[in-house]
Amino acid sequence: MENNNKSEDARLIDLARELATTEDPDKFCFSALRHVAELLNAERCSLFWMRDNAKGDGKELASRLWNITSKSTFKDVVCDAKNELVVPITVGIAGLVASTKTPINVANAYEHQNFNKTIDNKTGFETRDILCHPLILEKEDRVVGVAEVVNKKSEEPFTEKDEEVLDHFVVLCVLAIQNSRHSSQIKRLQQAATLQETLSGRIAKLWPSRSYDDVNKEVIHQISELITCERYTLAIALVDNCNIEGCLQFARSYDMLIQKSKGGLFDDDEEEASNKVDVIKLKKNDWIFSHKVIQKVIETKKMLNMGKITPFSEFKLEDAKKEFSLKSVLCVPYYDEADRLLGVLHLANKKKGFDENDEAIIESVRPYIMNGLLFANGFNSIVINKAKTDVADDIVRFHTRAFAEEVDRVINEPVPEGEKYNLYQFSFSDLPMTNDETVLGAMRMFEDLDAFNLFKIPKEKMLRWVISVRRCYRPVYYHNWRHGFNVAHTMFLMLDRLKTATMTPGISEIFTPMERFTLVVAGFCHDIDHRGTNNAFLIRAGAPLAVLYNTSTLENHHYDTCLRISSMEGNNIFEHFTEDEFKASCELMKHAILATDLALYFQRRNTFKAILEKQAAERDFSGDNRMLLMSMMMTACDLSSITKPWEVQQKMAKLVTSEFYDQGDQERKLFGTEPMPMMDRSKSDDLPNMQIGFIDGVCSMAYEMMADFCPEFSPLRDGMKDNRQRWRERAIEQGKPDPDAPKERKEDKKEYGDLWVKYWNMDPENYIWGIDPNEKPPDVVIERVVFSPKKKAKSSSAANSQIDNDNSEIKTKKRRKNKVASENASQSPKPQEAEGKSKTCRIM
């Protein structure tokens, strides 16, 4: 190689020339150490970087360049995370050099107490002599790495001359590292400035962040460090206040006036100012709000730099105490991307006036000032929205609370025995009961749980709570107060049956009295404030609830609503719980309510089934398995209408499908897509097959498992089976094929049975609405996480041809638009009976 004949000086000069342009310190150090290997006739050289260890409690050395020789290429020696050698700085000679920051020359390395033989033992290489040198950033007095030279080929030890040669090249390596770091730092600062400006604009346009007064006071202090003048004022316009009648243009103003001695800093002499005063907030009637300089920059939306303001100028300014008189000013307005005024910075009285450099400084810190203004606006938005929320919450609380006449109507009524309403049988029906009777029925359940005595709950408070819960249920077809009452009743009855269950050891005492009370409370509240549409619909529609809760949307809302009701004055049924009891009760209640999300049921049911496959005596329902049991019980309670006597089941099926059909109508109107078959009003004549599919796909496994777990629960399974047979008979009566016939049954199951499972297991953000999951979907694109395939056309050759043309056009353009426009929605055929209801529907 031609480098072999070059002297040390020539090599150093060549490397020095590279310093100005090098961007990669690794490659520079590689070149330097290869020169060292040649000049010292060494067998190999290596470079280690020093860094924090994984635990963050110490330093370690990691090989970056390993075994450099005079013939090596950079690719041959560079190490990465996969092949690097890592050792603590407490190990080896290189570690000693890093720790002591001192070069070392070791002859006969095996005799040195710090030498680590591990690498030699693994590789078979024999280290004789080592020359080691730290790479130190002098300004920081910090070791960043260690260069190591091993074994002269002549088998002689390294000399003092060799040490000098290594030192010379290490100096250049350190300079390369410093230059590279400085260059990177400059680039990062430039990028950060650009990103900060961009981010500020985005925040202003989308959603202001939050702040406190101290942030903007800090802005004033920082500006005072950059520019020396007499007065610094930052006036803030709060965007959310602009629409409030009577509000000032500037809602907040921060001011700092420099104290000066008589005839001082801002006159013509050279006397320096004394100390600065604290930043204060100006009064609403202060000078800043009427000053003409402020008005001018707002009008022009440009920076204004004025010097030599005389007492006769229209821009003159003097305070009442004549402690301040305006002589020069630099004033800058700040607007967001929506062209809304955010604030004005007003700097006054700089000796010799403000110059171009001052203007440049202010422009350079514009992102910083903008963030301060945005923070103030964001925090103000939060305060205003919090106030609006409090007002709205107060209105809701007023209309949610149990009114005196409602309480008085039943407070003196004796709580009836359970037999009066058949409360102690799974065949119970609430249909003959009035709303007041359901309230008394709830009181009977709590009395049987001994809640009034165990938890010291006054009966009037419990009564108020029940009435408040009833009032919070919306008058939708199915998920209303009666459904909540029935679910709570089924849970109450299942807990009661567990007392006498003996099949599984310890099952009778699996839940404590507090847990039994909590589970019944959860049953009452599990669907509170239900809107008549499911989670998938809310997520797809971008409803506020879906923004607030991104998983188990409705179930999380039901739980929070339950806590909100229980926190209202006169409703706190948990008042006498200890802090730990209340926390445990809330955790159980949340788990129970979220368990009614059928998507979770499908995820968990096979795990529960695996437990039941064991012998009864071997089943373990402790720990997580106990919570799993509770989840399965909540699902069984939630679906219990399918187990009721046939007369009740028929009515419940019509109510729930009416609710589904309303959602399907909304999907056509809002999204322009066809709903799932179960929510398609045009398929209402296929209700028997839908119910059979629901039983087979969702309910059957739940109630079979419940009966297996506790034989006392078998009436639920038996009721479900009886209703399935009735629906089968109804289908045959309507002229439908026998659902249990081998051929037809397979098709029906594909359409309805498996479809229920697929539907609740779909991720709403990735589900192609209006397309059966069993079919191959057309090409679509995502627009705001909503998939929008074309509506299915009626079967005809012309329609099919049009669909083919549409699909071809879609594949060519690679885009599809939502059909949400009202004119398109009006073209969608709707049954006459549902038209009025769907038009008044709101997405909450």
Side-chain angles (χ1 to χ4, degrees):
M1 298 176 67
E2 63 177 10
N3 278 343
N4 289 337
N5 299 321
K6 281 191 175 184
S7 66
E8 176 190 349
D9 291 342
R11 297 169 190 262
L12 289 172
I13 291 172
D14 289 343
L15 284 175
R17 290 194 180 103
E18 295 180 20
L19 274 176
T21 57
T22 186
E23 294 182 357
D24 189 343
D26 292 330
K27 290 184 178 179
F28 186 93
C29 291
F30 164 74
S31 297
L33 291 179
R34 192 170 65 174
H35 285 309
V36 170
E38 292 175 356
L39 291 170
L40 271 57
N41 195 27
E43 292 186 6
R44 59 183 61 179
C45 299
S46 297
L47 177 69
F48 299 85
W49 290 142
M50 191 160 80
R51 66 191 185 191
D52 293 329
N53 61 24
K55 294 183 179 180
D57 58 358
K59 299 289 185 179
E60 62 185 16
L61 290 174
S63 61
R64 181 57 178 164
L65 304 174
W66 183 250
N67 289 348
I68 302 171
T69 68
S70 59
K71 297 181 180 180
S72 296
T73 64
F74 179 78
K75 187 176 181 180
D76 294 332
V77 300
V78 68
C79 302
D80 55 24
K82 295 180 180 179
N83 62 359
E84 66 181 5
L85 171 66
V86 180
V87 294
I89 62 170
T90 57
V91 175
I93 292 177
L96 177 64
V97 170
S99 301
T100 62
K101 302 180 182 179
T102 305
I104 192 171
N105 184 348
V106 177
N108 200 351
Y110 279 73
E111 294 181 3
H112 196 282
Q113 61 181 359
N114 290 88
F115 181 71
N116 185 4
K117 301 179 182 178
T118 305
I119 303 300
D120 280 9
N121 292 336
K122 287 183 177 180
T123 62
F125 180 82
E126 182 179 354
T127 302
R128 297 188 307 275
D129 310 303
I130 297 177
L131 184 58
C132 230
H133 200 297
L135 278 67
I136 303 175
L137 300 180
E138 295 294 339
K139 287 186 178 180
E140 303 173 26
D141 192 26
R142 181 164 63 92
V143 175
V144 294
V146 173
E148 183 182 81
V149 186
V150 178
N151 293 0
K152 296 189 73 166
K153 294 179 180 177
S154 62
E155 298 187 2
E156 297 175 353
F158 292 106
T159 64
E160 290 184 2
K161 175 62 177 176
D162 295 332
E163 294 175 17
E164 291 176 3
V165 171
L166 178 59
D167 181 64
H168 295 161
F169 284 89
V170 165
V171 169
L172 290 181
C173 288
V174 171
L175 288 175
I177 294 168
Q178 288 177 330
N179 287 349
S180 176
R181 293 194 174 195
H182 290 162
S183 177
S184 298
Q185 186 178 21
I186 291 171
K187 288 182 179 179
R188 285 196 296 269
L189 289 173
Q190 292 172 340
Q191 292 171 349
T194 302
L195 290 174
Q196 191 177 22
E197 181 91 328
T198 303
L199 180 61
S200 297
R202 288 179 180 175
I203 293 175
K205 187 176 181 180
L206 300 176
W207 187 85
S209 188
R210 57 186 75 178
S211 172
Y212 299 94
D213 288 336
D214 289 343
V215 173
N216 288 291
K217 289 181 180 181
E218 181 64 22
V219 170
I220 294 289
H221 280 299
Q222 291 294 332
I223 294 173
S224 71
E225 296 293 329
L226 299 172
I227 298 177
T228 302
C229 62
E230 184 179 359
R231 192 165 198 166
Y232 308 82
T233 307
L234 182 64
I236 297 178
L238 298 178
V239 175
D240 286 341
N241 290 27
C242 294
N243 296 326
I244 302 176
E245 189 69 26
C247 281
L248 296 172
Q249 186 172 29
F250 296 110
R252 300 181 185 180
S253 295
Y254 305 91
D255 187 63
M256 184 171 73
L257 179 65
I258 305 300
Q259 294 179 346
K260 61 174 182 175
S261 57
K262 188 175 181 180
L265 173 66
F266 305 101
D267 294 326
D268 293 332
D269 58 20
E270 298 298 324
E271 184 181 349
E272 293 295 328
S274 58
N275 60 330
K276 299 176 182 178
V277 297
D278 291 335
V279 178
I280 63 171
K281 295 175 68 175
L282 295 176
K283 298 178 181 178
K284 292 183 179 180
N285 61 350
D286 218 305
W287 61 272
I288 191 72
F289 303 108
S290 58
H291 189 205
K292 288 190 176 182
V293 170
I294 301 290
Q295 295 173 1
K296 186 174 181 64
V297 298
I298 292 175
E299 291 173 3
T300 62
K301 299 181 181 179
K302 295 180 179 179
M303 178 188 296
L304 179 63
N305 185 349
M306 298 180 64
K308 298 181 180 180
I309 298 175
T310 68
F312 306 102
S313 170
E314 64 174 315
F315 299 107
K316 68 178 180 179
L317 179 67
E318 190 174 64
D319 62 8
K321 296 180 180 180
K322 297 186 178 182
E323 294 178 350
F324 170 79
S325 178
L326 186 64
K327 298 178 180 179
S328 61
V329 64
L330 180 60
C331 194
V332 188
Y334 294 92
Y335 289 82
D336 64 14
E337 289 187 354
D339 204 32
R340 296 176 299 184
L341 179 67
L342 296 178
V344 173
L345 176 66
H346 185 281
L347 306 182
N349 295 1
K350 180 183 179 184
K351 189 192 303 183
K352 299 181 181 179
F354 298 94
D355 54 26
E356 292 181 356
N357 184 57
D358 298 319
E359 295 179 8
I361 290 174
I362 292 300
E363 281 301 310
S364 70
V365 297
R366 171 179 287 272
Y368 180 75
I369 298 172
M370 282 289 291
N371 275 336
L373 298 172
L374 288 167
F375 291 157
N377 269 275
F379 180 70
N380 182 67
S381 296
I382 292 172
V383 171
I384 289 179
N385 289 328
K386 177 66 167 57
K388 291 179 179 179
T389 301
D390 289 343
V391 172
D393 191 53
D394 184 60
I395 295 172
V396 171
R397 285 174 178 269
F398 175 79
H399 290 287
T400 300
R401 66 180 177 84
F403 291 152
E405 56 268 26
E406 292 177 296
V407 177
D408 293 342
R409 203 165 54 234
V410 292
I411 188 72
N412 295 319
E413 291 288 329
V415 177
E417 295 299 322
E419 289 81 3
K420 178 178 179 180
Y421 299 119
N422 195 33
L423 277 177
Y424 302 133
Q425 301 299 323
F426 284 112
S427 59
F428 162 80
S429 170
D430 68 290
L431 294 179
M433 302 172 70
T434 65
N435 279 341
D436 285 349
E437 286 177 324
T438 60
V439 170
L440 291 173
M443 294 295 287
R444 164 49 57 192
M445 288 185 249
F446 285 121
E447 190 163 299
D448 286 358
L449 290 169
D450 201 19
F452 306 127
N453 177 50
L454 289 174
F455 311 117
K456 301 177 183 178
I457 306 173
K459 290 189 177 181
E460 182 175 348
K461 181 170 290 188
M462 191 80 249
L463 183 63
R464 287 182 179 279
W465 183 88
V466 172
I467 293 174
S468 295
V469 170
R470 186 190 70 187
R471 291 178 64 86
C472 275
Y473 272 94
R474 301 191 181 200
V476 294
Y477 283 112
Y478 180 75
H479 291 97
N480 49 42
W481 158 248
R482 295 304 182 105
H483 172 63
F485 177 81
N486 275 282
V487 170
H489 167 262
T490 305
M491 177 58 74
F492 162 77
L493 208 53
M494 293 176 80
L495 292 170
D496 182 71
R497 293 292 191 272
L498 283 177
K499 292 179 181 179
T500 59
T502 58
M503 183 175 178
T504 303
I507 197 175
S508 60
E509 302 297 330
I510 197 166
F511 296 114
T512 66
M514 185 193 75
E515 290 172 331
R516 289 196 288 268
F517 169 75
T518 300
L519 288 173
V520 173
V521 167
F524 277 113
C525 296
H526 85 284
D527 268 333
I528 196 168
D529 197 41
H530 199 288
R531 283 90 196 285
T533 53
N534 59 20
N535 289 336
F537 179 87
L538 294 173
I539 294 172
R540 186 185 182 198
L545 275 183
V547 176
L548 190 59
Y549 313 104
N550 56 11
T551 58
S552 298
T553 299
L554 281 167
E555 291 74 21
N556 274 293
H557 174 61
H558 302 325
Y559 168 70
D560 284 349
T561 304
C562 175
L563 292 186
R564 194 174 296 115
I565 290 173
S566 302
S567 67
M568 291 169 56
E569 184 179 357
N571 280 7
N572 190 0
I573 58 177
F574 302 102
E575 183 177 7
H576 293 287
F577 281 42
T578 66
E579 183 177 349
D580 289 342
E581 288 174 339
F582 180 68
K583 182 179 179 180
S585 182
C586 287
E587 288 178 356
L588 178 63
M589 192 188 318
K590 183 174 185 177
H591 192 95
I593 292 176
L594 263 61
T596 60
D597 184 347
L598 282 179
L600 298 180
Y601 160 69
F602 287 122
Q603 293 174 20
R604 297 168 176 169
R605 63 180 185 177
N606 287 331
T607 304
F608 187 68
K609 183 179 180 181
I611 297 174
L612 296 179
E613 288 174 352
K614 300 178 181 179
Q615 295 295 324
E618 298 175 359
R619 296 171 182 173
D620 178 17
F621 288 106
S622 61
D624 292 342
N625 288 349
R626 193 170 74 100
M627 299 303 286
L628 179 61
L629 167 63
M630 181 275 299
S631 298
M632 294 298 108
M633 289 176 63
M634 282 298 297
T635 300
C637 295
D638 195 21
L639 305 176
S640 60
S641 67
I642 203 73
T643 71
K644 297 297 181 181
W646 172 241
E647 296 76 14
V648 178
Q649 158 59 192
Q650 287 185 89
K651 294 180 179 179
M652 294 300 104
K654 290 179 180 179
L655 290 175
V656 74
T657 51
S658 295
E659 194 171 288
F660 282 170
Y661 295 154
D662 272 8
Q663 176 173 323
D665 294 342
Q666 292 181 62
E667 289 180 10
R668 284 193 179 96
K669 179 179 179 180
L670 293 174
F671 314 130
T673 54
E674 290 300 305
M676 302 295 291
M678 302 85 72
M679 298 184 180
D680 188 349
R681 195 180 296 276
S682 66
K683 296 182 181 294
S684 59
D685 61 340
D686 207 17
L687 178 60
N689 279 325
M690 290 184 187
Q691 288 298 102
I692 291 173
F694 180 64
I695 291 171
D696 292 350
V698 182
C699 306
S700 180
M701 186 173 177
Y703 292 112
E704 291 290 352
M705 291 191 299
M706 285 295 101
D708 186 4
F709 163 70
C710 180
E712 284 79 359
F713 296 167
S714 57
L716 295 170
R717 176 199 58 195
D718 297 341
M720 174 198 68
K721 288 184 174 181
D722 180 65
N723 287 324
R724 187 191 183 284
Q725 178 61 24
R726 294 295 189 106
W727 285 118
R728 174 174 173 259
E729 294 170 359
R730 179 64 60 88
I732 296 173
E733 289 173 3
Q734 292 179 353
K736 306 280 185 181
D738 184 353
D740 286 342
K743 293 181 180 180
E744 291 80 3
R745 176 71 193 125
K746 184 176 180 181
E747 275 306 309
D748 288 339
K749 182 177 180 182
K750 179 180 180 182
E751 184 174 3
Y752 294 118
D754 287 349
L755 196 56
W756 282 106
V757 181
K758 290 176 181 291
Y759 181 73
W760 261 287
N761 277 299
M762 287 293 178
D763 179 354
E765 295 187 357
N766 294 318
Y767 182 61
I768 303 178
W769 301 91
I771 301 297
D772 188 326
N774 295 297
E775 298 179 7
K776 182 179 180 181
D779 292 340
V780 293
V781 295
I782 303 176
E783 295 184 0
R784 295 182 66 244
V785 300
V786 176
F787 285 82
S788 306
K790 295 288 186 183
K791 294 182 182 179
K792 292 182 179 178
K794 296 294 183 181
S795 176
S796 68
S797 59
N800 290 335
S801 176
Q802 183 61 42
I803 290 175
D804 291 339
N805 292 336
D806 286 345
N807 286 339
S808 176
E809 182 179 354
I810 291 167
K811 292 180 179 179
T812 302
K813 295 183 177 180
K814 296 294 182 183
R815 62 192 301 267
R816 185 186 291 273
K817 296 184 177 179
N818 289 329
K819 295 182 178 181
V820 187
S822 57
E823 57 180 325
N824 289 343
S826 64
Q827 296 173 5
S828 301
K830 293 186 179 68
Q832 188 68 29
E833 61 178 350
E835 192 161 340
K837 185 175 290 293
S838 63
K839 285 182 179 179
T840 60
C841 174
R842 288 185 177 182
I843 302 173
M844 302 297 287

